[in-house]
Amino acid sequence: MKCGLLCTAGEEVVRLQELEGNTVTIHTGLTGVQSDAHILWFYGPENTMIVNSRISGEIITDYDSERFRDRLQLNTTSGSLTIRNISREDSGVFNLQITTKIRSKWSYRMDVYAPAPTPTIGLKENHTMFPIERCVPVCSVENGKDVNLSWYREKERISTTNSSDSSAYIVLPLDLTSPNNSTHTCVAANPVSTQTAQPNLTGLCYNNTDSKSTELTAALTPGGLTAVAVVLVFVFVTCYCKKKKRPGSSVAERYNGIQYTAGPQQNNTVGQASPS
């Protein structure tokens, strides 16, 4: 159990933070209650009585609460209250009142949390040429109460974020400006628990390349370069031949047994009889 203030008797509201499902004891800090004491515990905004105990010769304790049925246990020596199998719905203010010759009051604010969600790591797409520059691991996690998402390099926290929108996912990219051998860890945490995930940078940044980078890599291999060169030569020859066949060139053509030579001169036919 974690306390925002010391868990002792006093006028201030003591804040408690606990993981759901646990057994929680609200400690009063008292070492002994007088034999004629009247101990009352109240819960919630309506200050509903949940424990009523009288110590006068014999101890009579009533647990009058539908919400906490069979989950409460009072320590009549200290006034401390134990709650079994606490749930997030049990979050709220617990008030203690002990009456002897005087009346004393204590207040405790209990915040119960679910376990922190487990983060997942994916890859943010980019369009630069080199894999290490394109590689941007992204950690994401389902949001929850007081959840923070952080990246650590070794034991140093290098970035963190959260969101007030409980229905949205929290997303945090990892800035890898240059390759290194450091261990990176994504941590999702709330006040009572943490969950972690570590990226496989080799798998993400080098093996998980997209089709464009694969085509580029293939083109840069010797076989790929040869294929590119053949295509370029073919295009060049095709364009050259078409240019040579245009009107005004010296390419000879034959039609119906008569040979013509295309060119700028007129009446340049072969095989006709000379005029008599």
Side-chain angles (χ1 to χ4, degrees):
M1 179 173 61
K2 298 182 179 181
C3 301
L5 300 171
L6 292 177
C7 297
T8 57
E11 296 181 357
E12 70 271 22
V13 177
V14 179
R15 185 176 181 183
L16 311 174
Q17 298 172 322
E18 189 57 57
L19 181 65
E20 68 176 350
N22 285 354
T23 295
V24 181
T25 298
I26 304 177
H27 294 282
T28 64
L30 302 177
T31 57
V33 176
Q34 295 182 13
S35 59
D36 59 346
H38 185 193
I39 303 174
L40 298 172
W41 275 97
F42 302 89
Y43 168 78
E46 298 180 359
N47 214 32
T48 304
M49 186 174 64
I50 57 175
V51 176
N52 182 1
S53 180
R54 293 183 178 274
I55 305 173
S56 55
E58 61 177 335
I59 300 174
I60 301 175
T61 302
D62 294 323
Y63 301 97
D64 188 16
S65 172
E66 191 67 29
R67 170 186 288 275
F68 296 100
R69 177 182 295 275
D70 300 326
R71 294 194 292 130
L72 300 178
Q73 182 65 49
L74 178 69
N75 185 324
T76 56
T77 301
S78 65
S80 298
L81 181 66
T82 297
I83 308 169
R84 292 182 291 273
N85 192 26
I86 198 164
S87 69
R88 282 175 284 174
E89 289 73 23
D90 296 334
S91 296
V93 176
F94 292 79
N95 292 311
L96 169 63
Q97 176 181 299
I98 298 179
T99 303
T100 52
K101 293 180 180 180
I102 61 173
R103 179 177 296 174
S104 301
K105 294 181 179 181
W106 298 259
S107 292
Y108 305 85
R109 169 71 195 187
M110 178 77 72
D111 290 310
V112 183
Y113 292 86
T118 301
T120 58
I121 298 175
L123 189 64
K124 180 180 179 181
E125 292 296 335
N126 205 327
H127 299 288
T128 55
M129 179 177 295
F130 300 103
I132 190 60
E133 295 180 5
R134 185 184 65 251
C135 180
V136 181
V138 176
C139 188
S140 62
V141 72
E142 185 177 0
N143 199 6
K145 183 179 179 182
D146 296 339
V147 171
N148 288 281
L149 190 64
S150 304
W151 275 109
Y152 284 80
R153 181 186 296 119
E154 304 300 344
K155 296 183 179 181
E156 176 189 5
R157 186 167 66 179
I158 57 177
S159 60
T160 186
T161 188
N162 55 44
S163 175
S164 58
D165 185 358
S166 60
S167 63
Y169 271 73
I170 305 175
V171 177
L172 185 62
L174 173 62
D175 183 16
L176 283 178
T177 56
S178 61
N180 57 68
N181 295 323
S182 300
T183 299
H184 293 82
T185 306
C186 182
V187 179
N190 62 21
V192 297
S193 66
T194 60
Q195 296 286 349
T196 63
Q198 286 188 337
N200 179 355
L201 295 181
T202 300
L204 284 174
C205 298
Y206 296 99
N207 297 334
N208 191 22
T209 56
D210 57 26
S211 59
K212 291 184 179 180
S213 64
T214 302
E215 292 172 1
L216 177 61
T217 302
L220 293 177
T221 61
L225 291 174
T226 301
V228 171
V230 170
V231 171
L232 291 176
V233 170
F234 175 78
V235 171
F236 174 77
V237 171
T238 302
C239 293
Y240 179 80
C241 291
K242 288 183 178 179
K243 181 178 179 181
K244 287 295 185 180
K245 289 184 179 181
R246 288 183 303 178
S249 67
S250 60
V251 178
E253 298 179 359
R254 182 178 296 276
Y255 182 72
N256 288 334
I258 302 175
Q259 181 175 328
Y260 294 87
T261 301
Q265 297 179 358
Q266 302 294 325
N267 300 322
N268 192 21
T269 59
V270 179
Q272 293 183 348
S274 300
S276 54

